[in-house]
Amino acid sequence: MKKKRLIAALLACALLTTQAAAFPAFAEEETPAIQEETLHTQAEPEKNAEEPVSSIVPADKLKIESNVLKGFVSDYTVPDNAVLVIPKAVTSISNGAFNQQAKIDEISFESGSALKTIGDQAFAGTGITSIILPDAVRTIGKEAFNGCASLIKINILSDTLTSVGTNALASLHKDVKVYVNTAAVKTKLSGKGVAADSIIVEAHNLSVSNNGQSLGYFTTFAQAAEAIDAASGNGTFTIQALKDVELGNKLPSKACIITGSAKLALATELEL
């Protein structure tokens, strides 16, 4: 009897071995799980690099004493793509205040700026691409913007610029253009780092702003309209006519208010 049981057991083992050979999947139960994990890993989408975001410098991170802007406070770490908004009460910017602060991408001035003096090397080596200097400015110091290699457009609103230091506008973008109101201002800038044919006398007839922030000054209504359409700001834009200007036939697609003494040649079409 024992011999028969042994033979039966051997036959059962042989049968199981045969079934495993016929159906190999039973012998590799873990394989599907491993394959699924591998497929899942391959299917994960790659993360795109984040777009650079501008960072407005908080007003309390500016060191201002008696309306003189001296730079950043000592414990402030300048972020990438920094935007510097200079308060309207500032009358002077110290020598070297923001010298070689390459992370500053944009500099603007609050409406009604009282700024009169920009010190030596005040903005030298910053990463700005354009700037509009307020009409109260009288003095631009030596090398004030020297080495701003990306600076391609400067608007100087002052009609009474009295002093421009040596190399104030040296080593800027090779295609830089400087826009001034009068030939007298152009003469002041001559030999200060920018070729004479890059200094353009062009009247600033229109001021454009959005929520109190200036977008610039323009000669024609068409230029102002183009600036509004290109701007990233929201809300209502304001075009202030500083002199009599024909509106022309170029209108902004965004909502805007027109103030001042502009001749409303298109008053009917604009329903003003």
Side-chain angles (χ1 to χ4, degrees):
M1 179 65 70
K2 289 181 180 179
K3 186 176 182 179
K4 287 182 180 180
R5 288 178 179 174
L6 179 60
I7 293 171
L10 290 171
L11 288 171
C13 288
L15 179 60
L16 288 173
T17 303
T18 304
Q19 287 176 338
F23 303 100
F26 289 100
E28 300 178 6
E29 291 183 28
E30 300 299 324
T31 302
I34 295 172
Q35 289 176 344
E36 181 180 352
E37 183 179 351
T38 301
L39 289 173
H40 177 69
T41 302
Q42 291 174 345
E44 287 182 353
E46 296 183 0
K47 294 182 179 180
N48 295 326
E50 293 183 359
E51 295 293 330
V53 178
S54 296
S55 302
I56 297 177
V57 177
D60 62 358
K61 299 304 180 182
L62 298 177
K63 185 178 180 180
I64 301 174
E65 298 177 359
S66 302
N67 293 330
V68 177
L69 177 56
K70 298 190 173 183
F72 297 118
V73 295
S74 59
D75 62 347
Y76 182 60
T77 300
V78 184
D80 292 336
N81 311 113
V83 176
L84 180 60
V85 181
I86 297 176
K88 63 182 179 181
V90 169
T91 58
S92 178
I93 300 174
S94 292
N95 294 344
F98 302 99
N99 185 23
Q100 304 306 314
Q101 293 285 358
K103 290 185 177 181
I104 297 178
D105 276 3
E106 182 180 338
I107 298 171
S108 64
F109 303 84
E110 286 185 344
S111 181
S113 172
L115 182 66
K116 289 182 172 58
T117 303
I118 299 173
D120 298 350
Q121 298 184 331
F123 299 118
T126 56
I128 60 176
T129 58
S130 65
I131 192 167
I132 301 169
L133 300 183
D135 56 8
V137 172
R138 298 293 178 267
T139 301
I140 301 175
K142 294 184 295 185
E143 301 182 358
F145 295 93
N146 183 43
C148 295
S150 297
L151 184 52
I152 195 169
K153 183 179 181 182
I154 303 173
N155 285 77
I156 299 177
L157 304 182
S158 174
D159 291 341
T160 54
L161 195 61
T162 57
S163 175
V164 181
T166 304
N167 291 328
L169 305 178
S171 301
L172 308 183
H173 191 283
K174 64 183 180 64
D175 296 322
V176 67
K177 293 290 185 291
V178 182
Y179 295 90
V180 300
N181 268 333
T182 68
V185 173
K186 179 174 181 174
T187 299
K188 288 286 184 183
L189 295 172
S190 296
K192 306 303 181 181
V194 175
D197 59 0
S198 294
I199 304 172
I200 301 166
V201 179
E202 188 172 83
H204 297 106
N205 298 326
L206 301 165
S207 167
V208 177
S209 60
N210 180 28
N211 297 325
Q213 293 298 316
S214 175
L215 269 69
Y217 292 76
F218 305 90
T219 302
T220 66
F221 189 84
Q223 292 172 345
E226 289 173 1
I228 290 173
D229 287 341
S232 58
N234 297 317
T236 300
F237 292 80
T238 299
I239 301 176
Q240 181 182 9
L242 307 176
K243 301 176 183 178
D244 285 347
V245 181
E246 295 287 349
L247 291 180
N249 56 9
K250 170 67 176 177
L251 307 177
S253 59
K254 298 179 181 178
C256 70
I257 297 171
I258 301 173
T259 64
S261 60
K263 297 176 181 177
L264 301 183
L266 297 179
T268 302
E269 289 82 353
L270 288 172
E271 297 182 357
L272 297 175

